Amino acid sequence: MAQFTDPEPRISRIAFRALHEDIQELTLFFEAESASARFQERIEIRNVNKKPIVWIMTNVPHQDFLRSNECTGLQFSWDTYRISVTRLKLKNGYEVDPFNALTCHLTHTWFLNSTWKWKWKRFWNLDAIQWAKTRLFEYWHFGFGMPAIRIFGPNGFEVTTVQRLLISATRPIAWVMSRNWVITFQFWIAIWSGLYVLNDESELQWRWAKSVNNSEGFHKRSPER
């Protein structure tokens, strides 16, 4: 779901794919609701298989904080959603009776619990940045130069002679690269180079990596739902 901290254009998207049987026809209504309004989007797609089909929702506004007062509390552009009147026909000709899904409520932890800062003409999620830097530290401290598969026996961590030499040679590099100021430098170089973005797990990811979960604005963590 698009949020007010996302870069323009702020457009919400939803993806569909078939896990088992291919779907010939799929129609449904996506409905978002706030305290004062409802927004509906009719979705109709065909030939659904394991490769996701992404639908851009033009009738659903982006997530935004609207107002706060003593009577109504915090109000957002919408805070619940449901998928209803779902009809689907499988490739083998079998048709599923129309059904409705459960109503889901957004917690908006991305707004209420995270620390945000306006810098360089955009919002930055400081919690997401800190987590990405922590993951960098863990890579240099526990991953770089270490065996991909580690076996622990009665005498502790078992390694071959070659692995032991590699570990000894790479530990000084790992120590330098895991210093706090070096980690900060690595993070911002990766971001400003344009080669890396923060994905929805708040981890640095190659911009062109084959993943459907990435944040082009590289500045937010995904909301909990």
Side-chain angles (χ1 to χ4, degrees):
M1 303 307 165
Q3 302 170 9
F4 80 98
T5 54
D6 289 342
E8 295 283 359
R10 300 185 181 98
I11 300 174
S12 295
R13 298 172 176 85
I14 188 170
F16 301 88
R17 68 187 181 102
L19 296 179
H20 302 291
E21 292 284 341
D22 288 354
I23 300 174
Q24 181 175 334
E25 298 177 1
L26 172 64
T27 60
L28 57 90
F29 285 89
F30 181 95
E31 181 175 306
E33 184 175 349
S34 68
S36 57
R38 295 164 57 197
F39 310 92
Q40 284 190 348
E41 180 92 14
R42 186 178 188 275
I43 298 174
E44 182 177 357
I45 52 179
R46 299 174 183 273
N47 300 323
V48 184
N49 52 33
K50 293 183 179 180
K51 183 178 292 186
I53 296 177
V54 180
W55 182 280
I56 296 177
M57 295 190 289
T58 57
N59 292 336
V60 178
H62 67 270
Q63 286 287 296
D64 201 355
F65 174 71
L66 299 182
R67 65 184 67 87
S68 174
N69 59 58
E70 295 182 358
C71 297
T72 61
L74 299 175
Q75 290 189 9
F76 296 87
S77 54
W78 56 276
D79 47 28
T80 64
Y81 69 92
R82 67 184 64 84
I83 293 177
S84 60
V85 198
T86 302
R87 295 184 173 89
L88 61 88
K89 181 179 180 181
L90 303 180
K91 278 291 183 68
N92 59 17
Y94 179 76
E95 295 188 27
V96 178
D97 293 334
F99 62 91
N100 300 323
L102 296 176
T103 299
C104 299
H105 301 265
L106 304 184
T107 61
H108 292 100
T109 55
W110 58 273
F111 180 83
L112 300 176
N113 295 340
S114 292
T115 302
W116 298 83
K117 186 173 182 179
W118 175 260
K119 188 79 170 179
W120 300 308
K121 298 182 179 180
R122 68 176 72 242
F123 283 99
W124 298 85
N125 187 325
L126 302 187
D127 298 332
I129 293 174
Q130 184 57 47
W131 176 250
K133 291 166 62 177
T134 299
R135 295 292 289 165
L136 278 175
F137 171 84
E138 291 175 348
Y139 165 74
W140 289 113
H141 197 70
F142 302 107
F144 178 71
M146 302 294 286
I149 300 176
R150 307 175 194 184
I151 300 175
F152 292 85
N155 298 322
F157 181 29
E158 298 179 357
V159 294
T160 64
T161 301
V162 174
Q163 290 174 332
R164 192 181 304 279
L165 292 174
L166 180 61
I167 292 172
S168 300
T170 56
R171 285 306 84 195
I173 300 175
W175 183 86
V176 173
M177 298 300 288
S178 61
R179 298 305 88 194
N180 186 57
W181 71 270
V182 181
I183 290 290
T184 300
F185 180 77
Q186 293 174 61
F187 174 83
W188 289 111
I189 284 295
I191 290 298
W192 291 118
S193 69
L195 300 178
Y196 290 86
V197 296
L198 281 187
N199 61 21
D200 285 349
E201 300 301 324
S202 297
E203 298 174 353
L204 282 174
Q205 171 184 292
W206 180 251
R207 177 177 289 276
W208 298 278
K210 293 182 179 180
S211 172
V212 296
N213 296 322
N214 64 63
S215 172
E216 288 297 332
F218 53 75
H219 55 273
K220 68 183 182 64
R221 292 197 71 166
S222 58
E224 295 181 10
R225 296 178 176 87

